[in-house]
Amino acid sequence: MGKAFDPMLIIEFIPTLIHYLGVTLQILVVSILLGLIIGIAAAIPRLFKIPILNQLVILYVSFIRGTPILIQLFLVFYGLPAVLMFVNIDISRMEAIYFVIVTYAISNGAGFAEIFRGAIRAVDLGQTEAAYSVGMTSSQNFFRIVLPQAIRIAFPNMANSVIGSLKDTSLAFTIGVMDMMGRGDTLIASTAHALEVYISLSVIYYVIVILLEKLFRLSEKHFNRHLTVDVALAG
Amino acid sequence: MTIDIPFIWVAFKEIIRALPITLILTIIPLLVGFLIGIVVALVRVYKVKMFYRVANGYVSFFRGTPIIMHIMLIYFGFPLFIDQLSAKFDLGIQSNSIPIILFVLTALSLAAGAYLSEIIRSGIISVSTGQMEAAYSVGMNKFQAMIRIILPQALAQSIPNFTNITIGFLHTSSIAFLVSQKELTGAANIVASTNLKFLEAFIAAGFIYWGLTILVEGLSFLLERKATAYNRGGVS
């Protein structure tokens, strides 16, 4: 800081920072995909009340819900190498971005598990009964009847999760990842125009969030297109 | 690198001394944000001319950008602004005499206001219009109906959302450590780097946050039962 505020710099910084948007999106996309897998795996013991695994998942979800993402990030960053040391795997030289992806995948997984569980519970039991009454097996019922409806119910929550996750990636720089925020930090160090850098970063995050929201709203409309028919028939 | 389990307890005792600052950074933004939230929600529900657009922009921006941005923008922007004002009007206020925590509190309060306004707004919308009509029919005016009938129900229904926001802001207060506040995460960082025991310190901090979260969840469960007692369903 210490230098006069220069609005022109805001525009000047944006292209430099956007250059690192790819890293931010990479963290986001990979951690969401991994989070989906973890979320499905974690939701199953909860739904079918598999003993021990059920309690473990409850503990996992409670811990993730109970601690800040920043603490989780530090725990993985300092903890994972220590844990893997026991099985003689040395990852202390691994790049910081992998720790970030692992943390966000674990964090997203817990959120997704709860969303899936809630969504599947929210599908009317009458649907399952109807499926059985027309002779479907339990897996046919699950994949053809329950799951499609559950996805529709889960979608708005998933969308919020993804946007929340994008905003959380702004903390990855704390363990030294060179994403947009990390690049912003180095820009501040070299130009001493902190405020301008943060305004540029805010603009970029804001635009991406708005684009994502638009995209999700369109997809939601697409998912719910069969409902408009119902409404038309009803009245 | 091995894990020094007894040190977790040592770190725990050291870190928990920073709890008051975390609580300040959580509770004050939520209280200020609640006031902002009610005003903004009412402006948006009633589509008050002019203010309506400002309120929309405010909520959209603060919900659309990471909270660390709000903290940094205010942390770097306000001093510039204050110094310029001070120089222009010869106020004699120097920005570096203002404690950093005030900037953090301002940023978090503005963010909380945006999030809370959305919760309050959806709460107000969810109260059926019949309630408003009933209030009018017994001779209440718009203001009375809002304060006595609509808001209490809207707020009671929003308790689960308030809980989530409270937990969210408890966790968000950890970002304040990036502007060198000695709250729980900041304290953990100091304990970690002075003893070179990073994992142990953050495990201890993690347990403190976890415990606080469970406490908040428990309290909110009790509160919800009390606040929605009017709406238990069944026969009365």
Side-chain angles (χ1 to χ4, degrees), chain A residues 168-216:
Chain A
D168 279 346
T169 60
S170 63
L171 296 173
F173 81 100
T174 51
I175 60 167
V177 173
M178 227 354 166
D179 66 337
M180 282 199 305
M181 280 293 279
R183 182 70 184 105
D185 242 17
T186 58
L187 261 183
I188 292 168
S190 60
T191 64
H193 281 283
L195 185 58
E196 293 86 338
V197 169
Y198 285 116
I199 294 176
S200 307
L201 282 169
S202 302
V203 171
I204 300 172
Y205 277 110
Y206 190 34
V207 169
I208 300 166
V209 168
I210 288 176
L211 287 179
L212 278 178
E213 273 176 352
K214 280 244 154 65
L215 180 76
F216 289 141

Side-chain angles (χ1 to χ4, degrees), chain B:
Chain B
M1 189 159 131
T2 49
I3 301 172
D4 181 358
I5 298 206
F7 187 78
I8 296 176
W9 177 238
V10 177
F12 185 93
K13 285 187 289 187
E14 190 66 31
I15 295 166
I16 202 139
R17 299 224 304 256
L19 183 62
I21 301 181
T22 287
L23 292 182
I24 289 172
L25 284 172
T26 308
I27 294 167
I28 291 180
L30 286 172
L31 291 179
V32 178
F34 186 72
L35 297 179
I36 300 174
I38 285 193
V39 174
V40 172
L42 289 176
V43 165
R44 295 183 75 197
V45 169
Y46 286 112
K47 298 208 160 80
V48 181
K49 268 180 219 153
M50 304 252 295
F51 292 108
Y52 168 62
R53 281 179 188 284
V54 179
N56 276 351
Y58 159 71
V59 173
S60 163
F61 176 77
F62 276 89
R63 283 166 48 91
T65 45
I67 290 179
I68 183 173
M69 291 300 163
H70 315 149
I71 293 178
M72 292 306 189
L73 286 177
I74 286 175
Y75 175 63
F76 288 108
F78 264 33
L80 235 58
F81 181 68
I82 290 166
D83 282 344
Q84 240 160 37
L85 266 186
S86 181
K88 204 168 234 170
F89 300 106
D90 215 19
L91 296 173
I93 304 168
Q94 288 240 301
S95 61
N96 45 14
S97 63
I98 302 170
I100 297 172
I101 195 165
L102 286 183
F103 296 128
V104 181
L105 285 172
T106 310
L108 289 177
S109 300
L110 287 171
Y115 284 97
L116 284 167
S117 85
E118 274 296 83
I119 290 175
I120 296 168
R121 191 172 74 111
S122 68
I124 292 174
I125 293 171
S126 75
V127 178
S128 86
T129 48
Q131 298 281 329
M132 198 63 160
E133 286 162 5
Y136 285 150
S137 76
V138 295
M140 288 191 190
N141 61 34
K142 202 171 189 175
F143 181 75
Q144 284 174 325
M146 197 33 117
I147 297 291
R148 298 189 192 171
I149 307 295
I150 307 292
L151 272 183
Q153 295 184 61
L155 297 182
Q157 277 181 26
S158 308
I159 287 175
N161 286 333
F162 285 134
T163 312
N164 284 336
I165 284 286
T166 306
I167 293 169
F169 272 80
L170 169 68
H171 295 169
T172 301
S173 71
S174 67
I175 297 176
F177 118 86
L178 294 174
V179 287
S180 55
Q181 294 303 294
K182 289 186 193 65
E183 40 67 73
L184 289 173
T185 308
N189 197 43
I190 292 169
V191 171
S193 36
T194 48
N195 296 288
L196 287 177
K197 289 194 193 314
F198 290 89
L199 183 56
E200 292 83 349
F202 289 119
I203 289 175
F207 275 122
I208 298 173
Y209 279 112
W210 196 4
L212 287 171
T213 305
I214 290 171
L215 202 68
V216 172
E217 280 172 342
L219 285 176
S220 113
F221 178 74
L222 293 178
L223 185 68
E224 193 186 351
R225 228 177 29 183
K226 222 173 162 59
T228 54
Y230 69 88
N231 196 15
R232 205 39 70 65
V235 285
S236 55

Side-chain angles (χ1 to χ4, degrees), chain A:
Chain A
M1 228 179 50
K3 289 195 186 170
F5 180 71
D6 182 358
M8 284 312 288
L9 281 178
I10 298 171
I11 301 158
E12 211 172 289
F13 285 151
I14 286 181
T16 321
L17 292 167
I18 279 221
H19 203 67
Y20 290 78
L21 178 61
V23 183
T24 296
L25 293 181
Q26 191 191 345
I27 297 171
L28 182 69
V29 171
V30 178
S31 67
I32 291 216
L33 293 179
L34 291 175
L36 282 174
I37 297 169
I38 298 175
I40 291 169
I44 290 168
R46 294 282 280 132
L47 282 168
F48 295 102
K49 296 225 158 55
I50 302 169
I52 305 176
L53 279 181
N54 186 20
Q55 279 77 6
L56 280 178
V57 172
I58 291 176
L59 198 68
Y60 157 60
V61 171
S62 165
F63 178 76
I64 297 296
R65 199 181 131 80
T67 48
I69 188 84
L70 210 49
I71 293 283
Q72 293 164 21
L73 202 57
F74 292 145
L75 283 177
V76 170
F77 187 59
Y78 295 111
L80 201 58
V83 170
L84 290 181
M85 216 46 135
F86 282 120
V87 285
N88 278 325
I89 301 173
D90 184 15
I91 54 162
S92 52
R93 301 232 163 269
M94 197 164 79
E95 270 182 73
I97 189 167
Y98 296 109
F99 292 104
V100 171
I101 290 173
V102 169
T103 311
Y104 287 70
I106 294 173
S107 176
N108 285 330
F112 289 157
E114 283 300 280
I115 293 174
F116 294 154
R117 189 174 71 97
I120 287 175
R121 285 270 166 81
V123 176
D124 190 8
L125 199 63
Q127 298 281 328
T128 300
E129 286 167 0
Y132 287 150
S133 77
V134 294
M136 287 194 187
T137 64
S138 77
S139 75
Q140 279 176 330
N141 163 46
F142 183 76
F143 286 107
R144 296 191 194 171
I145 307 296
V146 177
L147 195 62
Q149 298 186 59
I151 289 174
R152 189 176 61 75
I153 296 168
F155 191 79
N157 292 331
M158 300 277 294
N160 280 337
S161 250
V162 171
I163 290 172
S165 199
L166 168 71
K167 288 187 273 174
D168 279 346
T169 60
S170 63
L171 296 173
F173 81 100
T174 51
I175 60 167
V177 173
M178 227 354 166
D179 66 337
M180 282 199 305
M181 280 293 279
R183 182 70 184 105
D185 242 17
T186 58
L187 261 183
I188 292 168
S190 60
T191 64
H193 281 283
L195 185 58
E196 293 86 338
V197 169
Y198 285 116
I199 294 176
S200 307
L201 282 169
S202 302
V203 171
I204 300 172
Y205 277 110
Y206 190 34
V207 169
I208 300 166
V209 168
I210 288 176
L211 287 179
L212 278 178
E213 273 176 352
K214 280 244 154 65
L215 180 76
F216 289 141
R217 207 166 303 148
L218 284 177
S219 338
E220 207 178 324
K221 246 187 207 152
H222 183 73
F223 277 136
N224 287 338
R225 64 195 184 283
H226 64 284
L227 289 182
T228 53
V229 179
D230 287 3
V231 173
L233 285 176

